[in-house]
Amino acid sequence: MLLHTVPLPAQVRDSVISWRARAALSKAWAKLNEGLLDLAGEHRQVAVTDLVSVLADSPFPARDDRLHRYGDLPYTDGALYLLAREVRRFAQARAGLSRKVLALDLDNTLWGGVLGEVGAEGVQLGGLYPGNAYREVQRTASRLRDQGVVLVLASKNDADLVDEALTAHPEVLLRPEAFSAKAVNWSPKAGNLREAASALGLGIGSFVFLDDSPFERGHVEEELPEVVVLPADGDPAHIVRTLLAQGWFDVAELTETDLARPELYRSRTLRNDFAGGFGSSEDYLRALDVRLVVAEADGFSVARVAQLAARTNQFNLTGLRFDEAETGRRVADPDHLVVTFAVADRFGDEGVIGAAWVDRSGAEWHVDNLVLSCRVLGRGVELAIAAWLARRAHAAGATALRGRYVPSKKNGLARGFWTDAGFTDEGDGAHALALDAGLPEAPAWINLLEGNEVAR
């Protein structure tokens, strides 16, 4: 359920009463809105959008007296537009359509001026306008990072000069370690963004790109239409509003994994660099010391599991989006199993990166859906998960384990999962594994553990 707070009615605001009485009515109205806002904290299925605060910062008048009398429509078209925008932002976040990555230009975006022309000491950053506007852009990006948004640096510049400026300039808020990936070179930015997505293991459709150059923005829009492209040219005082206005980074609820995401993806780039020193991929994987921890979902993990269902697209076998209420119901139902998967290796703890929803009510177990973050693919984690599910079903006396693959526009990455795991393709997306004919083994380099925390 989505509710919104309500502006003070004009008949109260404009009525001919004493100031004391008007203050009392305003206080009562504020109490009503406070109660509406509190509902979201008391009931997980209720969300509230604060229309009062939105209208307070709006260029539109909130009320139309003529329409109110003529058709009992008290709000102006502008106010209704703002309400619709807030509802759209809420629906976008709940549907898992928020973006995970913010790719940032440098010159005239994170600071004023061209670094290669004026040097680090000459860029406009901090102090009075326009430097204070650029510092606010950096502060906003830093706060987004704190909320789980992955930052990527995409600049046509000399890499050594950029590193020096980001490290030495006293007003810089985004130091080199704030960026999970950096593409600082003279290559086309569309190609750099594509390579950054590949290095991070994220779809290019999870990117927002902020740049002051109409040419660069146009090229990215042409080459990568899935990327949200935002302008940073014009008055720098408006960049922050441009970045936040459409709610591209809104989420319904922040989890610990969200907060850790930027560092997780930074570790991924370090992992890729580490891979270059091995003669074979198996030697590299063994050296990673991969640990997969499997745990049954509980009340503490339901929110994260539901978020994975909503936001995972590339490795999502059936597309079924089990929300928090349904996931919680299945956790409590002995005929169902909801399980989480967490991964860690020598470069850090990835946190909960996958989940499975299993119907175990009959002699054959059915995997209703399995989702997995694409950032852990390539390490054999998905095969270890299939082996664990088969072993768990066999131990419970099941005769077979069944699963489906339902193709979508985005989940081609998962197409071969069941057959790679040893299941028989029965046609029309159905796959089965007879549990009396031998169980699949997890890759030898993965340490498979059971529990709620990764062993250190």
Side-chain angles (χ1 to χ4, degrees):
M1 179 185 297
L2 178 63
L3 305 175
H4 65 82
T5 55
V6 186
L8 187 68
Q11 56 265 40
V12 174
R13 189 182 64 243
D14 300 333
S15 55
V16 184
I17 56 177
S18 69
W19 282 105
R20 186 179 299 276
R22 187 175 300 169
L25 287 169
S26 296
K27 183 177 180 180
W29 205 258
K31 191 72 174 177
L32 169 65
N33 281 326
E34 181 183 348
L36 288 172
L37 290 168
D38 285 343
L39 285 174
E42 297 170 4
H43 304 282
R44 299 190 68 86
Q45 295 304 103
V46 174
V48 180
T49 179
D50 190 3
L51 184 59
V52 173
S53 297
V54 172
L55 289 173
D57 194 33
S58 164
F60 306 117
R63 302 188 66 87
D64 188 319
D65 292 335
R66 183 176 181 278
L67 277 177
H68 190 193
R69 301 305 171 202
Y70 185 78
D72 200 23
L73 300 171
Y75 296 147
T76 63
D77 288 346
L80 291 174
Y81 162 76
L82 292 175
L83 176 58
R85 188 186 70 181
E86 292 303 296
V87 172
R88 191 269 303 162
R89 289 179 63 164
F90 169 79
Q92 176 178 283
R94 286 299 295 266
L97 299 177
S98 300
R99 301 300 174 111
K100 296 178 180 178
V101 183
L102 173 58
L104 295 158
D105 178 38
L106 271 177
D107 295 337
N108 294 312
T109 300
L110 290 185
W111 53 50
V114 177
L115 179 65
E117 296 177 356
V118 301
E121 295 180 355
V123 298
Q124 297 168 315
L125 184 62
L128 301 176
Y129 178 88
N132 57 0
Y134 290 111
R135 184 174 167 88
E136 188 60 27
V137 175
Q138 292 201 24
R139 180 178 288 109
T140 300
S142 179
R143 288 171 176 165
L144 288 173
R145 186 183 189 275
D146 290 342
Q147 296 170 21
V149 175
V150 175
L151 300 185
V152 169
L153 188 59
S155 173
K156 285 187 174 179
N157 250 306
D158 180 81
D160 291 338
L161 191 59
V162 166
D163 281 341
E164 180 184 351
L166 292 178
T167 302
H169 198 295
E171 296 288 350
V172 164
L173 298 178
L174 298 175
R175 299 300 181 184
E177 60 271 15
F179 299 95
S180 297
K182 289 183 284 186
V184 181
N185 52 48
W186 299 100
S187 300
K189 290 192 177 181
N192 281 338
L193 293 182
R194 192 181 289 110
E195 290 180 8
S198 176
L200 294 170
L202 288 169
I204 195 65
S206 63
F207 276 58
V208 172
F209 174 54
L210 181 70
D211 197 294
D212 71 300
S213 167
F215 168 78
E216 299 292 352
R217 297 197 306 269
H219 187 222
V220 170
E221 287 175 334
E222 180 68 25
E223 294 288 324
L224 305 172
E226 309 98 318
V227 174
V228 172
V229 178
L230 300 177
D233 48 358
D235 192 330
H238 301 315
I239 296 177
V240 169
R241 187 179 297 273
T242 298
L243 180 59
L244 301 179
Q246 297 303 315
W248 288 112
F249 303 107
D250 292 353
V251 292
E253 186 171 2
L254 278 172
T255 66
E256 290 185 5
T257 301
D258 288 322
L259 301 178
R261 182 181 297 114
E263 200 57 39
L264 295 178
Y265 281 101
R266 185 166 180 267
S267 296
R268 184 185 181 101
T269 60
L270 295 175
R271 200 173 286 117
N272 290 340
D273 292 340
F274 178 70
F278 293 88
S280 71
S281 60
E282 186 166 334
D283 288 343
Y284 162 64
L285 291 167
R286 288 182 183 278
L288 274 182
D289 186 26
V290 181
R291 286 154 284 162
L292 171 64
V293 177
V294 186
E296 291 193 31
D298 55 23
F300 296 103
S301 57
V302 163
R304 171 57 179 159
V305 172
Q307 184 191 61
L308 281 166
R311 301 182 66 178
T312 305
N313 296 306
Q314 290 181 287
F315 198 103
N316 186 323
L317 291 178
T318 66
L320 293 174
R321 311 280 185 177
F322 297 108
D323 64 13
E324 193 168 331
E326 176 61 16
T327 297
R329 187 189 71 77
R330 286 176 172 243
V331 166
D333 182 357
D335 285 339
H336 289 88
L337 172 67
V338 181
V339 63
T340 66
F341 308 106
V343 169
D345 63 21
R346 66 180 296 156
F347 288 100
D349 186 347
E350 300 270 6
V352 175
I353 46 73
W357 295 257
V358 182
D359 183 337
R360 55 181 177 181
S361 59
E364 296 183 341
W365 281 25
H366 294 260
V367 180
D368 293 328
N369 200 12
L370 169 63
V371 300
L372 193 63
S373 171
C374 55
R375 71 173 183 264
V376 299
L377 297 181
R379 289 180 247 176
V381 170
E382 65 277 16
L383 300 179
I385 288 172
W388 183 88
L389 288 170
R391 188 178 68 189
R392 181 66 178 270
H394 181 261
T399 59
L401 181 63
R402 293 185 174 274
R404 295 186 60 80
Y405 168 71
V406 179
S408 72
K409 292 181 178 179
K410 295 184 177 181
N411 73 347
L413 186 66
R415 179 176 290 108
F417 165 71
W418 291 117
T419 52
D420 289 345
F423 285 62
T424 300
D425 187 345
E426 299 183 328
D428 197 27
H431 297 78
L433 179 70
L435 299 177
D436 57 357
L439 302 178
E441 295 288 338
W445 56 83
I446 291 182
N447 187 12
L448 187 57
L449 307 169
E450 294 193 27
N452 291 319
E453 294 185 359
V454 174
R456 296 293 182 180

